[in-house]
Amino acid sequence: MNIGKAAAASGVSAKMIRHYESIGLIPAPARTEAGYRTYQPQDIQRLVFIHHARELGFSIPQIGTLLALWSNQNRASQDVKALASQHLAELDRKIGQLQAMRMTLEQLIYACQGNQQPECPIMEHLSTSGNRK
Amino acid sequence: MNIGKAAAASGVSAKMIRHYESIGLIPAPARTEAGYRTYQPQDIQRLVFIHHARELGFSIPQIGTLLALWSNQNRASQDVKALASQHLAELDRKIGQLQAMRMTLEQLIYACQGNQQPECPIMEHLSTSGNRK
DNA sequence: TTAAAGCTTGCCATGATGGTAAGGTCAAGC
DNA sequence: GCTTGACCTTACCATCATGGCAAGCTTTAA
């Protein structure tokens, strides 16, 4: 299977497959005489795994760890759970940050008249030096 | 005022002040004979404005627009409001994405025993090819 | 006078991904 | 057989905002 098919089958773009190979996340596959990469079914499984992990927001280094656990028959599910929990905490942190922005911004938008006049609480907020609780 | 003081006064790092200058977000300030940048109070105001806008998550191009509106006496608050609303929508989109990840991940973590055994719903989710609603 | 702190520019790195360019290869149709 | 188009290859550049480091100059304080 060439890289195009592998990309379509796994949901990972050809570009990213090459990238993952270059950073060592996936092993370098066999090549045809012409130099084309050829993928086996288990390579596709690995790519699918990566794709799903990316959908959940895991970073590439985390996915490296997950892949190692995946191919380890003696893994303890608590290790997987710990990594996932760590990522969950990170997601919560990011969501919290964005929601804090969202909250302030929404209030400012609500308070803004949105007319032809220049007066605007949003601008005032941005230019005000201090006292922003 | 040198760049260090300007950084401390505005909350924008010296590094970023130089960067903003290099991309044209702020005008190049006067220099001393030795080549040191010297900032005026209005420059600090501008930096404070940028800092606050970054805290709300506005992108640099958006901040460029906001700065233009800021220094425009004839601005209409509806223009500011429109830009802010656009950004709010973007925040909502990102929050939604993260929350979708969060939701799935939390369920998987909940279902995982977290013991010494290898069986793990998280791993199953990642390796399963399809049917992930 | 000397040492420390601060400034200068320039380059490199992040993280995950996209784009583009220049060229080689393969398969199908004529 | 030859052309065409789809596919592959590598290599480089771009994003976005920020940090770090290095080599060298300037200012300040002891």
Side-chain angles (χ1 to χ4, degrees):
Chain A
M1 210 194 282
N2 283 347
I3 199 170
K5 292 267 176 70
S10 67
V12 179
S13 73
K15 189 89 186 185
M16 291 313 296
I17 295 177
R18 294 193 195 98
H19 178 62
Y20 292 153
E21 179 187 330
S22 80
I23 62 175
L25 188 66
I26 55 176
R31 303 270 187 138
T32 66
E33 287 188 4
Y36 284 23
R37 290 172 179 80
T38 56
Y39 295 90
Q40 303 308 126
Q42 70 259 31
D43 298 327
I44 306 303
Q45 282 190 318
R46 199 175 177 89
L47 289 170
V48 166
F49 184 98
I50 293 171
H51 183 207
H52 291 169
R54 287 292 306 137
E55 281 179 343
L56 289 182
F58 285 101
S59 69
I60 268 71
Q62 284 176 324
I63 295 174
T65 305
L66 286 172
L67 283 170
L69 288 169
W70 191 39
S71 49
N72 177 5
Q73 296 297 87
N74 296 105
R75 70 169 176 265
S77 67
Q78 64 186 15
D79 292 343
V80 181
K81 189 169 184 171
L83 184 55
S85 300
Q86 198 181 320
H87 179 47
L88 182 65
E90 180 64 17
L91 283 177
D92 281 340
R93 200 187 58 78
K94 286 185 189 165
I95 290 169
Q97 273 189 350
L98 293 180
Q99 276 177 339
M101 292 178 184
R102 206 215 106 93
M103 199 100 109
T104 305
L105 193 58
E106 190 178 38
Q107 286 170 5
L108 291 170
I109 289 171
Y110 177 75
C112 175
Q113 296 287 320
N115 57 19
Q116 302 298 126
Q117 302 306 122
E119 288 74 31
C120 174
I122 303 169
M123 282 298 181
E124 276 165 38
H125 173 93
L126 294 175
S127 25
T128 301
S129 289
N131 307 322
R132 310 209 323 302
K133 45 169 168 3
Chain B
M1 210 194 283
N2 282 347
I3 199 168
K5 293 267 176 70
S10 66
V12 179
S13 73
K15 189 90 187 184
M16 291 312 296
I17 295 176
R18 294 193 195 98
H19 177 62
Y20 292 154
E21 178 188 331
S22 80
I23 61 174
L25 188 65
I26 56 176
R31 303 270 187 136
T32 66
E33 287 188 2
Y36 282 24
R37 291 171 176 80
T38 56
Y39 294 91
Q40 304 308 126
Q42 71 260 29
D43 297 327
I44 307 304
Q45 283 192 318
R46 200 177 176 88
L47 290 170
V48 166
F49 184 99
I50 293 171
H51 184 207
H52 291 170
R54 286 293 306 138
E55 281 178 345
L56 289 182
F58 284 101
S59 69
I60 267 71
Q62 283 175 325
I63 294 174
T65 305
L66 286 172
L67 282 169
L69 288 168
W70 191 40
S71 50
N72 177 5
Q73 296 297 88
N74 296 106
R75 69 168 175 266
S77 68
Q78 66 185 15
D79 292 344
V80 180
K81 188 169 183 170
L83 184 55
S85 300
Q86 197 181 320
H87 178 48
L88 182 65
E90 181 63 14
L91 283 177
D92 281 341
R93 198 187 59 77
K94 285 184 189 165
I95 290 170
Q97 272 190 349
L98 293 180
Q99 277 178 338
M101 291 177 184
R102 206 215 104 93
M103 198 98 110
T104 305
L105 193 58
E106 190 179 36
Q107 285 171 7
L108 291 171
I109 288 171
Y110 176 76
C112 176
Q113 296 286 320
N115 56 19
Q116 302 297 126
Q117 300 307 122
E119 288 75 31
C120 175
I122 302 169
M123 282 299 181
E124 276 167 36
H125 173 92
L126 293 175
S127 24
T128 302
S129 289
N131 307 320
R132 309 209 326 302
K133 48 169 168 1

